[in-house]
Amino acid sequence: EVQLVESGGGLVQAGGSLRLSCAASGFTFDDYDIGWFRQAPGNEREGVSCISSIDGKTHYADSVKGRFTISRDNAKNTMFLQMNNLKPEDTAVYYCAAGEGYYNDSYYLKVDYWGQGTQVTVSS
């Protein structure tokens, strides 16, 4: 059974930090490109960051560049999202995902597997 299980969400004040983790099982984690998405109330789900399985190249949405860092530990089948200098507009449910990345002007992730989501709330 394929599982992606997020943890690390919570309530933090603006300017604070959180580190999200996502533990993967049931598939060959090393073979997949991975990423983080988020969805705020009333908004569509949007891509936050992705990391390639081949070369480790990272991609970020403009809104989080310089503040968020994505990483993966293939030995532990785990991915991370370090979020610093958080802003109220970062408030959302954050989802980890695994799939196949591709370029079409920008970098996209065609998702095969989703996590269940973890709530991040940033107070002003």
Side-chain angles (χ1 to χ4, degrees):
E1 179 189 6
V2 170
Q3 282 193 314
L4 290 171
V5 180
E6 297 102 336
S7 60
L11 173 64
V12 65
Q13 287 188 330
S17 299
L18 283 174
R19 188 190 195 210
L20 305 184
S21 301
C22 175
S25 61
F27 63 100
T28 306
F29 182 73
D30 305 27
D31 290 345
Y32 283 76
D33 302 315
I34 57 171
W36 290 90
F37 294 74
R38 68 186 181 185
Q39 187 167 17
N43 291 357
E44 292 186 356
R45 192 171 297 188
E46 63 174 357
V48 174
S49 181
C50 296
I51 184 168
S52 168
S53 62
I54 297 176
D55 57 11
K57 190 171 182 180
T58 56
H59 306 267
Y60 296 94
D62 288 343
S63 58
V64 306
K65 278 181 183 175
R67 301 187 298 121
F68 289 12
T69 303
I70 189 172
S71 61
R72 65 190 299 166
D73 184 340
N74 287 341
K76 297 182 178 179
N77 288 355
T78 304
M79 66 177 90
F80 305 95
L81 186 67
Q82 177 67 43
M83 306 185 294
N84 297 328
N85 191 20
L86 282 160
K87 303 176 181 180
E89 52 263 43
D90 295 318
T91 295
V93 177
Y94 283 71
Y95 300 88
C96 60
E100 181 179 3
Y102 64 97
Y103 284 96
N104 185 6
D105 289 334
S106 297
Y107 185 85
Y108 297 90
L109 185 67
K110 178 181 173 295
V111 177
D112 293 320
Y113 308 121
W114 288 100
Q116 84 286 356
T118 185
Q119 177 70 46
V120 171
T121 303
V122 184
S123 63
S124 57

